[in-house]
Amino acid sequence: MYLSRLHLRNWRNSAEQVLELPPEGAAIIGDNGQGKTNLLEAVYYLEIFRSFRGAPDEQLVRFGEDVFRVEGTLTAPEGGERTLAAAFERRRRKKKVTVNGAEPERLGDALGLVSAVIFSPSDVELVAGAPGERRRFLDIVLSLAEPGYLAALQRYRHALFQRNTLLRQGSPRALVQAFDDALVASGSRVVAARARWVAERAPSFAEHYARVAGGQPGSLAFAPSVDLPQPTPPVDEVARTFAAQLERVADRETARGMTLAGPHRDDLRFTTASAEGQPLDLRTYGSGGQQRTAAIALRMVEAETIRETRGRESVILLDDVFAELDPGRSRRIIEWIDAAEGGQVILTSPKPGDVQIHGGALPQWSMKDGVARPM
Ligand SMILES: Nc1ncnc2c1ncn2[C@@H]1O[C@H](COP(=O)(O)OP(=O)(O)OP(=O)(O)O)[C@@H](O)[C@H]1O
Ligand SMILES: [Mg+2]
């Protein structure tokens, strides 16, 4: 499947336009602030129905307008078609998603249909930023790849919110504990899925990191808040440990007025090795380029997960990712895209010479004032 058509109306700085995209994709070239990232944001909106930049829907509506609409047509090489659309009304704060014209029963049913992965300069925050960035990453990948994950996560957030409210108000322990079963049942599903995903994908992360970094080692590990008895425990074992841990921190929770154990405190760790072979935490000690490399390796692993889950190539969106990388790293990323993926690539750059994907054969488009057109 590739994105053959994109129809935008009042999306960011774009009034209305219809783009017919070739199966191999396009290189979108334009000066700063013209709308290149906005365009990729629109494509990815059809994957998760949220802004990849974390912008609230209101901000996506063109200034002075009330409703945006994004519609994409996916075409299979064999000929099948699927149309996804999303519209948001600012005044009534209403979002409507349709797949082939019909509203899905749950939004979750419409997630991941584009099979897109986006690489962006802000991905460096996945490594250098706060733990919440990494949990958000895990939650998006696992919501796209694992049936039931999103529902468990939503139940967990609900139970956590209620429990934290009671703790903050200094409610009696028995009232707080009334939420423990729900917290443990949903939370252990979330933790078990995260642990399994990281364990499965860590070898591939290490491979990607080493290749892009020209041989330097890099590793990915899960840093769970609940002490896991083994790297990939079954859900009921996580539940047992989680419940026991809540018992142990009960007094501290009362004192601090919040829940102190659970997946809302999970993290990921990225490490490389020093010249002497000592492990170095990339979040604390990594150079900008090393942190970017780890973020790119993580996105590559995400692309693999999506490809395996959906059983087809992912649409790769590259938002000006080569700007801060040395030429060797850029070349090796391009080799990966050409070799392993081979599907549609939509990339942006302010400089025309920058982009050598598919041997420089990607059709070039210009972007000016929110309007993209073939050059
Ligand atoms: N809701 C909106 N309505 C109208 N214009 C908007 C809206 N949101 C953002 N913009 C405009 O979009 C432009 C930024 O677009 P975008 O981030 O896509 O730029 P870009 O081409 O990726 O630039 P750069 O090369 O600097 O990354 C800005 O000029 C901004 O004012
Ligand atoms: Mg941009």
Side-chain angles (χ1 to χ4, degrees):
M1 289 268 208
Y2 72 97
L3 184 71
S4 53
R5 191 169 174 277
L6 185 69
H7 183 169
L8 304 179
R9 196 184 302 148
N10 294 329
W11 174 269
R12 295 276 197 188
N13 65 339
S14 172
E16 172 145 23
Q17 64 174 322
V18 177
L19 306 176
E20 306 281 350
L21 288 152
E24 66 271 34
I28 319 259
I29 316 290
D31 288 343
N32 297 136
Q34 297 302 311
K36 302 182 297 298
T37 303
N38 294 347
L39 181 67
L40 298 187
E41 189 180 35
V43 175
Y44 200 73
Y45 196 87
L46 295 174
E47 174 81 356
I48 63 168
F49 303 104
R50 285 201 271 158
S51 158
F52 84 92
R53 306 197 230 197
D57 288 325
E58 295 81 69
Q59 283 177 21
L60 308 175
V61 185
R62 187 165 196 250
F63 301 148
E65 299 290 340
D66 188 40
V67 183
F68 78 66
R69 187 162 192 285
V70 183
E71 184 186 285
T73 305
L74 297 164
T75 302
E78 319 80 72
E81 266 195 5
R82 182 186 269 153
T83 301
L84 297 174
F88 176 79
E89 208 182 317
R90 174 156 38 195
R91 215 167 335 116
R92 294 197 297 150
R93 312 196 79 257
K94 258 188 86 77
K95 175 146 63 187
K96 184 175 171 184
V97 168
T98 58
V99 180
N100 289 335
E103 272 186 82
E105 219 166 286
R106 283 162 312 202
L107 188 62
D109 299 337
L111 290 180
L113 295 179
V114 186
S115 298
V117 177
I118 185 158
F119 292 68
S120 127
S122 59
D123 288 349
V124 72
E125 291 303 311
L126 290 171
V127 179
E133 301 280 339
R134 291 179 283 283
R135 288 191 293 269
R136 193 172 114 88
F137 169 85
L138 285 170
D139 290 339
I140 291 174
V141 175
L142 287 163
S143 297
L144 293 173
E146 276 223 17
Y149 182 88
L150 183 59
L153 181 67
Q154 284 166 341
R155 286 197 303 276
Y156 181 76
R157 285 187 177 150
H158 185 71
L160 180 68
F161 178 81
Q162 311 256 17
R163 198 173 183 275
N164 276 342
T165 305
L166 291 170
L167 280 167
R168 202 171 43 244
Q169 293 165 348
S171 307
R173 191 72 204 162
L175 272 184
V176 173
Q177 278 172 333
F179 285 96
D180 284 11
D181 284 351
L183 192 82
V184 167
S186 54
S188 41
R189 285 206 59 182
V190 170
V191 175
R194 290 176 179 176
R196 194 164 2 95
W197 186 83
V198 175
E200 270 172 21
R201 303 289 162 176
S204 166
F205 175 90
E207 243 174 70
H208 290 307
Y209 186 92
R211 206 185 43 248
V212 176
Q216 280 174 28
S219 66
L220 164 69
F222 186 38
S225 151
V226 172
D227 303 315
L228 301 182
Q230 58 183 84
T232 56
V235 176
D236 54 342
E237 264 187 48
V238 180
R240 243 192 330 271
T241 345
F242 189 3
Q245 208 158 325
L246 284 176
E247 289 280 322
R248 281 205 304 282
V249 296
D251 289 345
R252 278 205 293 139
E253 285 192 337
T254 309
R256 304 255 321 259
M258 63 172 107
T259 301
L260 293 176
H264 64 293
R265 302 188 137 212
D266 284 349
D267 203 351
L268 292 173
R269 288 220 199 304
F270 302 93
T271 31
T272 185
S274 70
E276 295 76 38
Q278 293 297 317
L280 284 185
D281 189 326
L282 282 173
R283 185 179 177 201
T284 329
Y285 297 108
S287 73
Q290 286 174 323
Q291 291 175 340
R292 269 176 211 288
T293 304
I296 286 167
L298 192 64
R299 290 292 185 204
M300 289 173 167
V301 171
E302 176 184 358
E304 276 168 12
T305 305
I306 301 292
R307 172 152 40 81
E308 286 165 26
T309 310
R310 301 280 155 187
R312 57 167 188 268
E313 286 149 346
S314 28
V315 175
I316 302 277
L317 309 172
L318 299 171
D319 193 18
D320 199 10
V321 286
F322 303 111
E324 290 178 51
L325 293 172
D326 61 50
R329 282 175 204 233
S330 302
R331 179 169 43 77
R332 292 186 291 267
I333 294 165
I334 291 171
E335 281 165 8
W336 169 78
I337 293 167
D338 282 344
E341 290 296 324
Q344 193 176 34
V345 178
I346 307 175
L347 68 81
T348 72
S349 173
K351 285 174 265 164
D354 256 15
V355 284
Q356 293 304 321
I357 303 267
H358 298 333
L362 266 193
Q364 299 213 345
W365 291 40
S366 65
M367 171 62 83
K368 190 156 177 24
D369 293 331
V371 178
R373 47 170 73 90
M375 286 207 248

